[in-house]
Amino acid sequence: MGGEALPATANPAARVAPLVLGLQASALVDHVARVDWSLLDQLPGERGGSIPVEIEELEHILSEVKTHVISSPDDSLPMKTIAGGSVANTIRGLSAGFGVSCGIIGACGDDEQGQLFVSNMSSHAVNLSRLRMKKGPTAQCVCLVDALGNRTMRPCLSSAVKLQSQADDFTRADFKGSKWLLLRYGIINLEVIQVAISIAKQEGLFVSLDLASFEMVRNFRSPLLQLLESGDIDLCFANEDEAAELLRGSEGEPKADPEVALEFLGKHCRWAVVTLGSNGCIAKHGKEIVRVPAIGEANAVDATGAGDLFASGFLYGLVKGLSLEECCKVGSCSGGSVIRSLGGEVTPENWQWMYKQMQTKGLTLPHIPK
């Protein structure tokens, strides 16, 4: 049996199907801290990547953070603990910054972290009636940010509660009436992803897939290619490293150009986007290809959530029927807003910054329900 469903909020809008649904099998809490290089040098694995760890390793890293943390004048706390995970970041951004009705399908533990996830997401008007609360721990992730704003992640997912595809954790009724399903590629949840895509397609939803990390693409390329080639993915987001790994053959081969990866993704998906960090992004829809510069890179404090919030802006554009170029411009504004402070959540001041950027570019500002 699945866990207990959280009650919908008192808001009557919660009973209407959210326009956008995010599937995050395990609710996740991020511990985000700015640290010096010496701590990053101690960790096995490539800097900038994401490698799963057990709870003991996560707790060890958290204890080490205290002696390696770099405080910055604009942050009141050296470490931020907030609801995290790529899908949660995108959904929260769409709801809080763009006023798009969103819900999350997932599972959280009956622990302190689970409560934190629930209160953080519900405070941003995300519909949690499809989030199951189960007995056990909530997933956690340490996000270590270096002096240049690059982040290295160590998620702890193995013992965490998660959605089960064979249980009644989600049903067709959860998808009915929504327009988009957002997913992040992950081998640990591949079965759940496949079942969710199948239901979403039966219910007429568009499906968006984020490629997660270059390690995930490198290590589990074959099932990913099958997903993409199925024709069920309408929109795909990849960053430069993920795009390079996607078409890389044997170890010795050079990495593919982002343009080549975009061409490949565009063959299988209606919309394809490759984000290029400080070089902006390239996107393809049908025969149209656009390139849009980055915004706000000069003020990068922490790259955590840049791709996730880019997706929020891009999806807002699609929902509103904007052109491909405008979708990319909104994505660049929202991606630029989150990197101005620590963590994957945009502060109220940085939403205001984003609206100013959108205004100067002649983009329609979202109507945010009070």
Side-chain angles (χ1 to χ4, degrees), residues 107-253:
C108 68
D110 57 350
D111 55 1
E112 191 188 339
Q113 277 78 27
Q115 290 300 332
L116 190 147
F117 184 90
V118 167
S119 69
N120 181 256
M121 295 302 280
S122 54
S123 73
H124 293 294
V126 174
N127 180 323
L128 300 181
S129 60
R130 295 162 187 75
L131 185 68
R132 309 279 179 239
M133 187 171 275
K134 300 187 173 195
K135 288 205 178 314
T138 301
Q140 300 182 65
C141 179
V142 186
C143 306
L144 304 171
V145 183
D146 65 25
L148 299 176
N150 299 313
R151 46 107 183 107
T152 298
M153 298 195 287
R154 293 294 177 265
C156 176
L157 307 170
S158 56
S159 60
V161 302
K162 62 176 186 174
L163 279 190
Q164 305 289 340
S165 56
Q166 59 277 32
D168 58 352
D169 278 356
F170 56 95
T171 64
R172 282 186 74 148
D174 290 327
F175 295 76
K176 209 171 271 303
S178 293
K179 292 282 181 276
W180 277 93
L181 174 67
L182 313 190
L183 304 162
R184 182 178 205 241
Y185 182 58
I187 202 69
I188 190 173
N189 302 313
L190 188 58
E191 204 182 316
V192 167
I193 287 170
Q194 288 165 333
V195 172
I197 290 173
S198 164
I199 298 174
K201 286 287 133 191
Q202 288 167 37
E203 287 296 329
L205 277 74
F206 290 114
V207 174
S208 168
L209 182 72
D210 176 88
L211 295 196
S213 71
F214 62 82
E215 292 101 338
M216 191 63 77
V217 177
R218 180 188 296 164
N219 298 333
F220 306 103
R221 187 190 289 111
S222 178
L224 172 59
L225 291 175
Q226 279 180 324
L227 261 187
L228 291 168
E229 289 166 1
S230 72
D232 286 338
I233 308 300
D234 299 288
L235 165 61
C236 185
F237 292 104
N239 67 24
E240 204 167 355
D241 297 333
E242 293 151 8
E245 287 293 344
L246 187 63
L247 299 181
R248 194 178 187 176
S250 56
E251 207 31 60
E253 261 187 52

Side-chain angles (χ1 to χ4, degrees), residues 256-273:
D257 283 341
E259 286 81 2
V260 177
L262 184 75
E263 193 60 43
F264 170 80
L265 290 170
K267 247 190 239 153
H268 301 292
C269 310
R270 263 201 218 197
W271 298 274
V273 184

Side-chain angles (χ1 to χ4, degrees), residues 277-347:
S278 57
N279 293 318
C281 72
I282 48 177
K284 187 173 194 297
H285 174 50
K287 291 194 165 50
E288 186 187 6
I289 294 178
V290 299
R291 180 181 284 272
V292 167
I295 295 161
E297 272 295 316
N299 296 308
V301 169
D302 170 17
T304 306
D308 307 334
L309 268 294
F310 176 94
S312 302
F314 190 92
L315 280 154
Y316 163 77
L318 284 186
V319 163
K320 292 293 176 194
L322 303 186
S323 69
L324 183 64
E325 186 175 4
E326 287 171 323
C327 288
C328 289
K329 283 180 177 175
V330 181
S332 291
C333 290
S334 50
S337 70
V338 75
I339 62 177
R340 295 164 60 83
S341 64
L342 205 56
E345 182 177 5
V346 180
T347 62

